[in-house]
Structures are given as C-alpha cells and as structure tokens.
Amino acid sequence: MADSRKKTIIDTDPGIDDAMAIFLALQSPELDVLGLTTIFGNVYTTLSTRNALHLLEIAGRTDIPVAEGSHVTITKGTKLRVADFVHGADGLGNQNFPPPNGIPIDQSAAAFLVEQANLYPGEVTVVALGPLTNIALALQLDPGFSKKIGKIIILGGAFFVNGNVNPAAEANIFGDPEAADMVFTSGADVLVVGLNVTHQVVMTEADRDKLGRSDGKFAKYLCKILDIYFSYHRYAYETKGVYLHDPATVVAAVDPSLFTYTEGVVRVQTTGISRGLTILYNNKKRFGEVSEWCDKPTVKVAVTVDAPAVLKLVMDRLIDS
Ligand SMILES: O=c1[nH]cnc2c1ncn2[C@@H]1O[C@H](CO)[C@@H](O)[C@H]1O
C-alpha cells in the first residue's frame, strides 16, 4: 500500500518548544520525519545539533538523520541573537543531559534539503521552526528548489501584532531577515504561522501538571524541561501559561483545517528600527506605483486557529507516548 504519510523535514533550533514539536511530529501518524536540520536561534547551531541528536535518542529514533545547518546568517553575519533566557543555557531547561552518542550526517542542512526535494519532487514538507537561513541556502544551491520542495510551513513573523524580540520583530525572522525575505518571495508553496496565531495556543500550568501525571515518556521528559519556559512567560507576559509556537506549527502540517488562512505578498523589513518586521499586503488596494511589492509570489498566512483543538491534539499525543 502506498505510504500516505507526509514526508517531513523539521528545520529546528531546539529549544524547549522545539523539543515538544519534534516529539509531537514523531507521535503523528500523518507525518514521516525524513530528517532534522539544525539552525541557530534559540541556541547556537552546534548546540542545536547536539540537542536534535539528544532528542532523537530520547525518542529511540536514531534512524532519523540530523544535518547540521549554517552557523552564520545568509549575509554571513556572525552577530547572532540566541534566546538562552527563554530556554536555558543548554536550550533544554538547564537539565545537564549527557552528550548524545550520535553524530550528524556528513552533509549540510541545505544540501540535505536539496537532495530530499530532488528525490521526492513536490512531496516534501519542510517545517521551519527557526531562522530561515538553511532554506535560503537551499534556494541558492538549487534554483529549482522552490518548485521541487512540496511545502514550507514556517513559524515566524507577527502579522498585525507586536513581535517578541521587540515591538516590530518576531525572533525567527529577526534572526535572519534577509533569508526570510528570500524565502517569502521565492515562489515556493509557503504557509506562515506567526505570533498572531501562536499566542492563542497556550499551555497552562494545569495542562503541564496533566502531562506530569501521565506515564507518557515524552510527557514526562517535557515536564522536566518546561520549568524555565514557564518562568520566562510569567516574567515576560505575566501569564500562567506558555505559548506553544513550534507545536502549533507542526499541527499546521498534521491538520491544516484547524487554521484559516489569507494569501498575499509578504516582505520583510531588513533595515532600521523595524528590522525583522513582516508586512503582509492584504490586497485591499490597487496601488498605482511600481514597487518592491509588485509581481511577487504570494504566500499563505494563518489568521485564525482552533486553539482548543490544537492544544488537545498536542496534549493527547504527548500523553499517549
Ligand atoms: O521573547 C522571546 N524572545 C526570543 N525568542 C522567543 C521569545 N519567546 C519565544 N521565543 C522563541 O522564538 C520562537 C517564537 O518566536 C519560538 O521558537 C520560541 O521558543
């Protein structure tokens, strides 16, 4: 029988909510995880790779390859902003986990993305949970990548709401705005899930306790690393819950019907105080002037989410693990 699971590559910077997203993907019969590719963001790339390998060992899925991604931005920038204050210095809640036994494959993230897109043209979904450098590098490596990759589902941006790095910018886009602008205007089948949506998907302390009481191995592991993520949200947002950015984005791959979407050109501000700002042209006006917005391919942008259903899907699959 033909395998109807969606071939999926997760580009990730683990990260506490990345850990949850990766486990969720592995628990989802709709997805066939072909590999993890790593990027800087929540932590530096070297640590992302280490954490990706570690998480696959926790999951007993060392059959899944990890391809290490870029250590610099698409413009070779080395001044990176990492979010250790959100995830801990180790990216996984300061738990002093032992180093993984495995090693990454001998292929860069971009080369792996290009290879898989050529192997299965139109069939591979990339779920991008960090800055978009690796995807932009794949576009540079293979001009046909935008058409050969099936779908790119991106956690990034903040549409008509404030960012989380500053009022303008969301962290993943801020991490590499030039790469994000390249991906958004590449002509690939892109779906963007921004803070305007992920901030509605909240895991409460009661939900976390429910995870803790379950026998699920992923649930138990996540409970250990979630503390610092909760403290950060209490401090930054005065909430008694945490935003499930990355898991919500995996759910968009598992069941896109839990979201509604609009479609338009998205560009990224690359200079000035609003560097990293994502701007969606809502098609409500016919502009007379020729501009940087004309004749650009459109992307889909998530606008509403069935938050209780997304949370339930995440909880059920992590508890039953
Ligand atoms: O306040 C923050 N600053 C930087 N990164 C954050 C913050 N909150 C969450 N994330 C991380 O960035 C992505 C969503 O933008 C998520 O991966 C999340 O873990």
Side-chain angles (χ1 to χ4, degrees):
M1 213 174 79
D3 187 351
S4 61
R5 296 177 303 161
K6 282 182 205 157
K7 294 180 174 49
T8 306
I9 299 172
I10 306 177
D11 189 68
T12 175
D13 54 343
I16 294 169
D17 58 330
D18 297 73
M20 195 180 284
I22 291 167
F23 290 157
L24 172 65
L26 297 177
Q27 282 290 97
S28 293
E30 300 84 354
L31 307 183
D32 173 15
V33 180
L34 300 178
L36 304 185
T37 54
T38 64
I39 190 62
F40 60 85
N42 294 322
V43 293
Y44 292 107
T45 306
T46 308
L47 189 48
S48 285
T49 304
R50 176 187 154 129
N51 289 349
L53 291 163
H54 161 77
L55 292 167
L56 290 175
E57 287 177 10
I58 292 292
R61 292 300 308 272
T62 50
D63 55 304
I64 297 175
V66 174
E68 182 157 84
S70 184
H71 296 258
V72 297
T73 69
I74 197 72
T75 57
K76 309 263 190 303
T78 52
K79 235 185 85 194
L80 309 175
R81 175 187 183 277
V82 295
D84 50 358
F85 52 93
V86 182
H87 301 274
D90 67 353
L92 295 173
N94 292 333
Q95 295 295 307
N96 290 313
F97 292 118
N101 296 312
I103 55 169
I105 57 172
D106 195 16
Q107 196 177 24
S108 71
F112 180 76
L113 286 163
V114 165
E115 178 194 75
Q116 296 299 311
N118 279 286
L119 212 51
Y120 309 108
E123 285 184 47
V124 179
T125 296
V126 180
V127 177
L129 303 177
L132 293 167
T133 320
N134 291 331
I135 326 287
L137 285 169
L139 289 166
Q140 286 182 341
L141 205 59
D142 179 355
F145 182 75
S146 64
K147 290 297 160 220
K148 281 180 283 194
I149 195 69
K151 198 184 262 292
I152 307 175
I153 305 182
I154 295 168
L155 162 66
F159 296 91
F160 312 116
V161 298
N162 276 172
N164 57 3
V165 172
N166 59 46
E170 179 277 334
N172 287 343
I173 306 300
F174 188 79
D176 196 342
E178 285 83 5
D181 194 56
M182 278 174 65
V183 174
F184 289 146
T185 57
S186 67
D189 183 350
V190 169
L191 163 62
V192 196
V193 181
L195 297 186
N196 47 305
V197 161
T198 62
H199 276 186
Q200 297 176 49
V201 184
V202 177
M203 169 181 271
T204 63
E205 286 175 354
D207 297 323
R208 184 194 51 187
D209 296 345
K210 212 157 115 192
L211 282 185
R213 285 193 301 273
S214 86
D215 286 329
K217 95 175 150 186
F218 294 142
K220 285 217 171 315
Y221 177 95
L222 290 168
C223 258
K224 278 199 284 194
I225 67 172
L226 269 166
D227 262 357
I228 188 167
Y229 199 55
F230 269 83
S231 322
Y232 173 73
H233 282 73
R234 259 192 308 269
Y235 157 77
Y237 299 99
E238 293 182 20
T239 59
K240 290 209 166 75
V242 297
Y243 298 132
L244 299 189
H245 306 281
D246 296 351
T249 308
V250 167
V251 174
V254 167
D255 185 357
S257 76
L258 296 179
F259 302 76
T260 64
Y261 310 90
T262 186
E263 188 156 350
V265 175
V266 170
R267 303 279 336 233
V268 180
Q269 174 65 270
T270 54
T271 58
I273 61 167
S274 52
R275 181 167 159 81
L277 175 71
T278 45
I279 303 167
L280 165 67
Y281 166 41
N282 65 8
N283 290 313
K284 294 270 161 53
K285 179 180 191 265
R286 192 171 292 121
F287 292 100
E289 286 190 21
V290 174
S291 74
E292 295 291 345
W293 300 84
C294 298
D295 303 324
K296 291 282 187 267
T298 59
V299 300
K300 288 190 200 70
V301 176
V303 287
T304 70
V305 56
D306 183 346
V310 171
L311 182 68
K312 182 172 186 321
L313 193 147
V314 174
M315 289 289 293
D316 287 351
R317 289 186 179 187
L318 294 176
I319 284 172
D320 185 19
S321 65

